[in-house]
Amino acid sequence: MPTVTDPALTTIEAKIREGISLGLDDGVALFRTADIHTLGRLAKSAKERKSGKNVYYVLNRYINSTNVCYANCRFCSFARAEKDADSVRMSADEVVAKTLETGTNFNQLHIVGGHDPRQLSLDYWLPLMRRVKQLLPHVQLSLFTAAEIDYLARRHRLSYDEICAQLRAAGLDNVNGGGAEVFSERFRREVCPNKVDAAHWLEIHETLHRHGVASNATMLYGTIETIEERVEHLIMLRESQRRAPGFNAFIPLAFHPDGNELSHHGWTSGLDDIRMFAVARLMLDNFDHIKAYWMIQGLKVCQLALDFGADDMDGTHGSTDEEMIYHSAGTRSGQYVDDREFRRIIEESGYVPVRRNSTYETFPHEWSPPAAEPAALRRGSGQAALMAESPVLAT
């Protein structure tokens, strides 16, 4: 048995062996320990009890359909006003064209936007979702955040149950975990007062789960939150999963400082990133997956995270995808990673790469869509032919 230099970790390890969920004091001790090697060992063991040697990745398309947003979150470098010269608002046809730009051999369409009063409407999204499902029945729709769904519900004067039912019926498979930020009332009052509060964020996800829609969860770390607030956030997620299971993965989101009001907090350190992965893995004992989102922390940190509790490297993104949220805040990562590079990185770390979709169904690495796809899609080119086979959606 390796030597444990922090007595608090001995107590925590005993709780883990007995299957006892960790509490607030345990989480704080994990964040503050200097014994990073034991922290990593505990997290790696917890990860391997969940996933063995598997590390997951997905072939996906990532689209920011709009950057128009009036939430005015202080950490955001992405949002624009409607009349700003660099504002973006895609039509439905543009979203479909961007989705198909690099072919059809992918399993997830990931779209997030902002609180856009013109685009964030059921009149826009429901027909678009049905259209994509008709064109790409093998692709899962991973759309929206709870903040966007709250905006939709208030706009259309629908309950969360009603809005989730309509989105599910139109083909929604998974909801992205954004908008959680940090659940602390103090944090949200100071940083994102115009965004859905923590109780309603959790209620939306639990409602989605009851309707058969999976989701992810996140936390934005590295600004004004305290260590205690980080741990409280993780405990609240764990309790929500107990009430209404359906969270697939937790994704730590490191703060990026360029071009926003909180830039004086600077970049998170590599050590803070690694701690965040490990503590999340140990606190969230009823979450199956911890995702190392390479576009945020970078491939090298995410590769190391595989030994600190992470078992997912997220997606390749299409070679023409344009993730704008983190790139507007100064991320040093690129836009695209070839799936062969993902597999190389995972295998080099001693793990087994596994291709998945949004809900963690697995596929052979060389899987491609079935031959029943429409002819225009099988050809892999010719947008005119594609649009001729698909009615143009009014926007």
Side-chain angles (χ1 to χ4, degrees):
M1 178 72 67
T3 301
V4 179
T5 61
D6 184 343
L9 297 190
T10 302
T11 302
I12 289 170
E13 186 169 13
K15 284 187 176 182
I16 293 170
R17 280 200 305 269
E18 295 175 27
I20 299 172
S21 294
L22 302 181
L24 176 63
D25 291 343
D26 299 318
V28 171
L30 290 171
F31 270 116
R32 291 181 174 164
T33 185
D35 189 354
I36 195 71
H37 299 291
T38 299
L39 177 64
R41 175 175 61 80
L42 294 176
K44 182 177 180 179
S45 295
K47 164 256 193 76
E48 292 187 354
R49 285 193 295 273
K50 294 281 188 181
S51 301
K53 290 291 185 179
N54 291 345
V55 172
Y56 299 88
Y57 72 95
V58 62
L59 270 63
N60 66 345
R61 297 291 180 269
Y62 188 111
I63 299 173
N64 294 126
S65 59
T66 179
N67 63 355
V68 176
C69 185
Y70 290 94
N72 295 317
C73 301
R74 294 181 62 205
F75 60 80
C76 185
S77 310
F78 165 73
R80 297 293 184 269
E82 292 186 69
K83 295 183 179 179
D84 286 349
D86 56 348
S87 65
V88 174
R89 179 184 279 142
M90 291 185 180
S91 71
D93 282 343
E94 288 172 326
V95 170
V96 171
K98 177 65 71 173
T99 299
L100 297 166
E101 204 164 35
T102 55
T104 65
N105 186 18
F106 60 100
N107 299 103
Q108 173 184 281
L109 177 61
H110 180 151
I111 304 178
V112 293
H115 288 34
D116 183 341
R118 281 179 52 191
Q119 189 187 91
L120 199 48
S121 163
L122 292 179
D123 297 330
Y124 175 94
W125 280 105
L126 295 183
L128 174 56
M129 292 162 66
R130 296 186 187 106
R131 182 179 175 187
V132 172
K133 277 293 189 180
Q134 182 178 18
L135 290 170
L136 301 168
H138 64 281
V139 171
Q140 290 188 316
L141 300 184
S142 187
L143 311 178
F144 311 117
T145 66
E148 292 171 85
I149 292 175
D150 174 72
Y151 184 100
L152 276 171
R154 288 185 288 111
R155 175 172 184 172
H156 291 279
R157 299 183 181 181
L158 295 172
S159 68
Y160 290 156
D161 189 68
E162 290 168 328
I163 199 86
C164 291
Q166 290 198 38
L167 293 172
R168 176 59 173 165
L172 183 64
D173 297 292
N174 184 72
V175 166
N176 305 305
E181 321 316 353
V182 179
F183 289 150
S184 156
E185 289 185 13
R186 178 195 70 86
F187 178 97
R188 301 185 88 80
R189 186 171 56 249
E190 294 186 29
V191 174
C192 51
N194 301 318
K195 186 171 281 183
V196 62
D197 63 21
H200 288 99
W201 190 99
L202 291 167
E203 181 183 349
I204 288 167
H205 280 264
E206 291 174 22
T207 304
L208 288 162
H209 298 167
R210 295 185 183 106
H211 280 277
V213 179
S215 69
N216 295 322
T218 64
M219 179 171 69
L220 176 72
Y221 67 97
T223 63
I224 70 167
E225 83 282 356
T226 65
I227 294 300
E228 289 78 6
E229 287 170 336
R230 290 188 189 183
V231 179
E232 288 167 354
H233 183 104
L234 295 172
I235 291 172
M236 290 172 72
L237 287 174
R238 189 176 68 201
E239 294 306 310
S240 177
Q241 180 82 314
R242 286 176 177 161
R243 289 191 297 268
F247 287 114
N248 281 323
F250 173 75
I251 311 162
L253 303 177
F255 172 64
H256 281 37
D258 288 3
N260 58 62
E261 294 181 36
L262 300 180
S263 59
H264 57 284
H265 289 279
W267 297 85
T268 61
S269 69
L271 186 58
D272 197 17
D273 294 336
I274 292 305
R275 286 181 187 278
M276 190 68 242
F277 288 112
V279 177
R281 179 62 285 167
L282 294 170
M283 294 297 300
L284 295 175
D285 54 13
N286 57 2
F287 275 59
D288 286 339
H289 306 287
I290 304 295
K291 184 184 294 186
Y293 190 9
W294 66 270
M295 193 171 283
I296 295 174
Q297 281 96 352
L299 282 169
K300 292 179 180 179
V301 169
C302 288
Q303 185 183 34
L304 184 59
L306 300 181
D307 281 337
F308 282 79
D311 72 335
D312 192 303
M313 292 282 285
D314 195 62
T316 56
H317 299 174
S319 59
T320 59
D321 287 1
E322 296 174 0
E323 189 281 338
M324 296 188 293
I325 296 175
Y326 267 85
H327 281 82
S328 61
T331 184
R332 287 113 181 211
S333 302
Q335 294 279 11
Y336 172 68
V337 174
D338 187 275
D339 59 304
R340 291 167 295 186
E341 177 67 4
F342 263 134
R343 297 201 293 270
R344 185 193 67 79
I345 287 171
I346 292 166
E347 289 170 349
E348 186 181 74
S349 303
Y351 297 102
V352 178
V354 178
R355 180 176 171 179
R356 63 164 177 86
N357 62 12
S358 300
T359 54
Y360 287 83
E361 297 174 281
T362 60
F363 299 82
H365 297 305
E366 303 306 324
W367 180 91
S368 59
E373 293 294 317
L377 296 183
R378 286 202 307 272
R379 287 195 291 272
S381 62
Q383 282 297 327
L386 168 64
M387 293 303 179
E389 294 193 10
S390 172
V392 175
L393 178 68
T395 58

